Amino acid sequence: MKVGIIGAGMVGSAAAFAITLRGVASEVVLVDRNAALAQAQAEDILHATPFAHGTRVISGGYADLDGAKVVILTAGVNQQPGETRLALLSRNAAVFADIIPQVQAAAPDAILVVATNPVDIMTAIACRLSGLPPGRCFGSGTILDTARFRALLASHLGISATSVHAHVLGEHGDSEILCWSSAMAGTLPVAEMAAQRGCPLTDEVRATIDHGVRRAAYTIINGKGATWYGIGGGLARIVQAVAHDESAILTLSCLETGLMLPGQDTPLAPVALSLPRVIGAQGISDTLTPLLSPVEAEGLAASARVLIAAADGLS
């Protein structure tokens, strides 16, 4: 399967590297307005293929996306220290208006995966610009936040992160919701697992994990300028689900119209946000209704309202 990546910066190159190491694509094409950067990243990643898989990794222009099954959009300006993801909105919206028509001219049948921040609103913009159905134009959403939640829970419990099943929903940003009420470790609710392991989930521990998930991007940005390895791994996981037609359940951002959230009496205005999605070869095929506590349900609705207000501000 051929995968295109628009933007050869740290996120795009990390995604290309992770896709190559996983061996989930036969070819990866990096496209960037800085052609020298794209070429350098492609060559560097290509040199790792003898240690992993025989993926063809090249740089090129939009025409080289011909035949791509998935195109990942990472192009845009970086989040600055202290800047929220939503503050990036006005600076990144114009970028997509330029690149999406060129992507579709070269690869009209490709699934578009948005990684540019603020990812939820950029996903809605990409859907509008592309004219694609939401299941074929979606964002990475909270796939990274979910991974952070699972990793921190696993660290506290002293178990493998692959044995933790917990989700972060809503905005990929400050209003996101950690779903504690449905979090599981193995076959047990996380609180029961913690009790059996002798490491109770006290209010202090929960607050520390919440802060570690919700503020992770700011901590990383302050330390090294941007985040890239975690989201690169998440994007590779999305590509794997498409390549292998897995019907995997991932927390992805998708444009919703008339969405009814748990605990709400009226449908929401159109909004892109993360919910558990079933994803396979054709993109997102289904959305699952999460089981939430009343506090979590209200928090998810509030997160949706934040995104709706931000999108209204753009129009």
Side-chain angles (χ1 to χ4, degrees):
M1 185 179 81
K2 183 175 183 177
V3 175
I5 299 176
I6 311 301
M10 296 311 300
V11 171
S13 61
F17 187 52
I19 289 167
T20 299
L21 291 187
R22 275 184 175 265
V24 294
S26 58
E27 182 176 358
V28 176
V29 182
L30 283 163
V31 178
D32 196 284
R33 64 180 181 176
N34 183 344
L37 173 64
Q39 180 180 359
Q41 299 282 35
E43 288 190 15
D44 197 12
I45 295 168
L46 178 67
H47 299 161
T49 57
F51 309 117
H53 300 273
T55 305
R56 182 171 182 248
V57 185
I58 65 170
S59 63
Y62 287 98
D64 296 295
L65 299 174
D66 180 34
K69 172 74 172 179
V70 176
V71 175
I72 301 171
L73 308 178
T74 74
V77 293
N78 289 332
Q79 188 176 2
Q80 300 301 310
E83 181 181 35
T84 67
R85 294 180 181 93
L86 292 179
L88 291 173
L89 181 55
S90 60
R91 298 200 291 145
N92 275 336
V95 175
F96 274 26
D98 176 55
I99 65 176
I100 286 178
Q102 298 184 77
V103 169
Q104 290 192 287
D109 297 324
I111 294 169
L112 300 185
V113 179
V114 179
T116 301
N117 277 320
V119 69
D120 302 293
I121 300 176
M122 296 308 297
T123 296
I125 290 170
C127 278
R128 186 184 75 238
L129 291 171
S130 68
L132 290 172
R136 294 186 62 80
C137 178
F138 53 86
S140 54
T142 57
I143 192 171
L144 175 55
D145 310 271
T146 290
R148 289 167 173 161
F149 190 20
R150 294 177 179 182
L152 292 177
L153 272 172
S155 179
H156 176 73
L157 297 171
I159 62 175
S160 168
T162 59
S163 296
V164 177
H165 306 282
H167 299 87
V168 177
L169 306 178
E171 177 199 2
H172 172 53
D174 299 335
S175 70
E176 64 192 18
I177 299 303
L178 280 64
C179 297
W180 287 96
S181 64
S182 58
M184 302 286 288
T187 61
L188 298 174
V190 290
E192 177 62 26
M193 173 66 79
Q196 291 192 27
R197 298 279 291 170
C199 49
L201 280 172
T202 63
D203 290 344
E204 181 180 2
V205 169
R206 288 174 183 255
T208 299
I209 291 174
D210 184 282
H211 184 274
V213 174
R214 198 179 304 275
R215 305 297 296 179
Y218 299 107
T219 301
I220 294 169
I221 288 167
N222 286 336
K224 67 175 191 175
T227 67
W228 56 80
Y229 292 125
I231 188 57
L235 291 167
R237 181 68 187 91
I238 294 169
V239 169
Q240 177 182 316
V242 173
H244 296 171
D245 195 16
E246 290 186 16
S247 293
I249 299 173
L250 304 175
T251 54
L252 302 173
S253 185
C254 190
L255 182 62
E256 299 282 356
T257 302
L259 178 66
M260 288 288 292
L261 291 177
Q264 301 297 297
D265 297 325
T266 57
L268 295 170
V271 61
L273 79 172
S274 285
L275 292 169
R277 317 283 187 178
V278 180
I279 178 172
Q282 301 307 312
I284 293 173
S285 61
D286 200 6
T287 295
L288 305 178
T289 301
L291 296 177
L292 303 173
S293 71
V295 171
E296 292 165 352
E298 177 51 38
L300 182 57
S303 186
R305 290 193 290 268
V306 167
L307 291 167
I308 291 168
D312 287 346
L314 182 65
S315 58

